[in-house]
Amino acid sequence: MKKLIVTALAVIVFMIPLACLGVRQNNKDKDKGVVPDSVRKFEADQFLSIGVDLHKKQMYDSALVIFDKSLEKYPNYYKAMVAIAVTHQDRRDIMSAGDWYRKIYTVYPDSVEGLLGLSGVYLKLGYSQPEYLDSAKFYYDEGIKKFPNESDFYHGLAEVYKQTGGVEAADSVYKAGIAVNPENLAIRNAYVDFLVGLKRYKEALEQELIIVKAKPDDPFAQEKLGDIYVKLDMCKEAAEAYGKAKELRPDKIEIYTKLANAYLCQKNYTMAENVLKEAIELDSTKLIPHVYLGVVYMNAGKEGAAEKEFSYILSKDPNYPDALYFLGAIYARKAGRTVTEKTKEAWQSGCANARTAENYLNKANSIDPANNGPRVRQQIEYLTKVRDELKKKLFLVGITDC
C-alpha cells in the first residue's frame, strides 16, 4: 500500500457529510470492542453535539478540539472519529482526513464511512498523482464486495476508470451502480456527464429525463436537460426546459441567454428578443445579453439595431471580442451589398466599409485568437473577394484606391 505524502489539495470527493454521522454503521449504537459505559458515552455525546454545532458554523479548529474531548471520554467512539475525519475534509486537509478515515477503517472494518472515505482520499490524490489510483481502485473494489448495494462505491470506481482511460469499464460500473440503487441521483447525474463527454447525447437524455422526473423543481436538472436537447438540435424541447429552469431560477442570467438561443434556433426572434430584454432589465451591468440581442437582430435582419447593441457594448468595454467581431461582420455585409450597385459613390462606400470591417475583425482576432481565428479568417476571405470586385469596377472609372 502506498504511503500518503503531504500535499495541499482542494475538495475531497466521494466522502461523507457530517450530517450523515454514524447513520450507515452496521452497529449504529454499539461501539465494537468498547465496554459500554453509559456515563462516559453520555458525556462524549455532549461534546459531540457541541462540536457538530461549531462545525456547522465552519469553526473547524474549535470543532476538532471538542471532538478530541469526545474521544477522551469515550475512546474509539465511532461518531466522533467520523466527525474528525469529515472536519479535516472540510478544512481541505486531505492528509489528516485520510489518516482518520484509515483509523476508522482499521477499528471498524465493516464501516461504510471509513472505507468510502479512504477510497475518496486516494481518488482525490490520484487526480494530481496517478500512482494513487491503484489504491483507490483497491478500496472501491473492496467496498463493492463488502457493500454491494452501496452505489457510492460504484460511483467512485467509475471515476477511477475515467481517470485511467477505461471508458468501457467506467460505463459498465456506472450502469451497475445505478442498477443497485436507482434512487441515487448523484451517480445517475455523474453518468449523464460521462455520456455527454462522450457525445452520447441520446443516452444522456434518457438518464436526465429520469432525474428531472424525480426532481422537477431542480433548476440545475432542467438546465442540463435543455443543454442536452440543444446538442440533439431539439430546439423546441430545449426552450421548454430552459423556460422551466428560468421560472425556478429567475436570477440566473445564463439561463435567459440559453433560452433566447433556443428561440433563435427556432427563428422565433420576437421571443428571443423579449427574453433578452428581461435579462437586461434584471441586470443592466451584464454585457452578454446585449451580445445575444445583437445576434438576434442580425438574424432578424435588423442590422441597425444590431449595430447599436454592439456599439453600446464597446462603449462599456472597447476590447470586447464578440462585439468587435460582430461589428466587423455587419460592416462586411454592408461592403458586400455594394458590389451590385451601379455608382462610383456606392463602390467607394463599399471599400470604406470593407476597411472598417477589417479593422474590427483584426482587433477581435488579436484579442482572442483562439475563439475568433477561424471565423475572422472566413470574413476576411469574403472581404478580399468583395474588394477585388469593387476594385475592378472602380478601375473602369479611373479610381485605383479601395
Side-chain angles (χ1 to χ4, degrees), residues 1-4 12-16 24 78 82 85-86 89 94-109 111-126 132-143 146 153 156 160:
M1 184 182 306
K2 298 179 176 66
K3 183 180 180 181
L4 298 180
I12 300 175
V13 293
F14 306 120
M15 293 187 187
I16 315 301
R24 295 190 293 179
Y78 178 81
V82 173
V86 172
Q89 168 188 326
I94 188 172
M95 305 311 299
S96 295
D99 289 341
W100 277 96
Y101 280 121
R102 181 175 298 286
K103 290 177 185 177
I104 296 166
Y105 171 69
T106 301
V107 179
Y108 299 101
S111 157
V112 174
E113 281 82 356
L115 190 52
L116 189 61
L118 188 57
S119 306
V121 167
Y122 279 117
L123 176 59
K124 184 61 183 177
L125 288 169
Y132 285 107
L133 292 174
D134 286 341
S135 295
K137 181 180 182 302
F138 173 84
Y139 286 111
Y140 281 127
D141 280 332
E142 184 174 346
K146 285 188 173 183
F153 287 107
V160 171

Side-chain angles (χ1 to χ4, degrees), residues 226-298:
D227 293 344
I228 295 170
Y229 277 133
V230 167
K231 295 295 185 181
L232 291 168
D233 292 324
M234 300 173 69
C235 301
K236 181 180 178 181
E237 293 80 359
E240 291 174 0
Y242 288 139
K244 291 176 182 176
K246 173 176 168 287
E247 291 175 6
L248 295 166
R249 280 291 306 274
D251 60 326
K252 189 176 181 182
I253 295 293
E254 186 180 7
I255 295 177
Y256 289 75
T257 56
K258 288 183 176 183
L259 177 57
N261 195 50
Y263 284 131
L264 181 60
C265 173
Q266 300 174 72
K267 297 183 179 181
N268 190 338
Y269 305 125
T270 300
M271 288 298 293
E273 179 183 359
N274 291 340
V275 169
L276 291 167
K277 285 183 176 179
E278 281 184 57
I280 291 169
E281 185 176 349
L282 181 65
D283 188 346
S284 60
T285 66
K286 301 290 186 183
L287 295 179
I288 190 66
H290 288 280
V291 174
Y292 276 85
L293 185 56
V295 172
V296 168
Y297 285 142
M298 286 182 71

Side-chain angles (χ1 to χ4, degrees), residues 7 11 16 38 45 55 100 122 124 169 192 205 217-218 280 289 319 322 325 337 366 394 399:
T7 308
V11 181
I16 315 301
S38 59
D45 276 329
H55 182 280
W100 277 96
Y122 279 117
K124 184 61 183 177
V192 170
L205 176 61
D217 294 330
D218 184 345
I280 291 169
N319 294 318
D322 281 331
Y325 168 77
R337 286 195 293 268
S366 67
L394 288 168
I399 298 173

Side-chain angles (χ1 to χ4, degrees), residues 298 303 324-339 349-361 375-376 378-384 386-387 390:
M298 286 182 71
E303 203 169 85
L324 291 166
Y325 168 77
F326 285 117
L327 268 178
I330 288 172
Y331 277 93
R333 284 184 180 184
K334 291 180 178 181
R337 286 195 293 268
T338 62
V339 171
S349 174
C351 290
N353 285 331
R355 287 191 292 271
T356 301
E358 287 178 346
N359 288 336
Y360 280 125
L361 292 168
R375 60 181 182 176
V376 165
Q378 187 176 18
Q379 291 286 350
I380 294 295
E381 289 173 4
Y382 169 72
L383 283 169
T384 299
V386 167
R387 293 181 76 173
L390 292 174

Side-chain angles (χ1 to χ4, degrees), residues 17-44:
L18 193 57
C20 298
L21 219 58
V23 172
R24 295 190 293 179
Q25 185 188 8
N26 283 6
N27 298 313
K28 297 172 187 174
D29 298 316
K30 180 182 178 183
D31 296 290
K32 299 179 181 180
V34 177
V35 178
D37 184 330
S38 59
V39 175
R40 286 180 174 274
K41 184 148 186 309
F42 176 76
E43 292 174 342

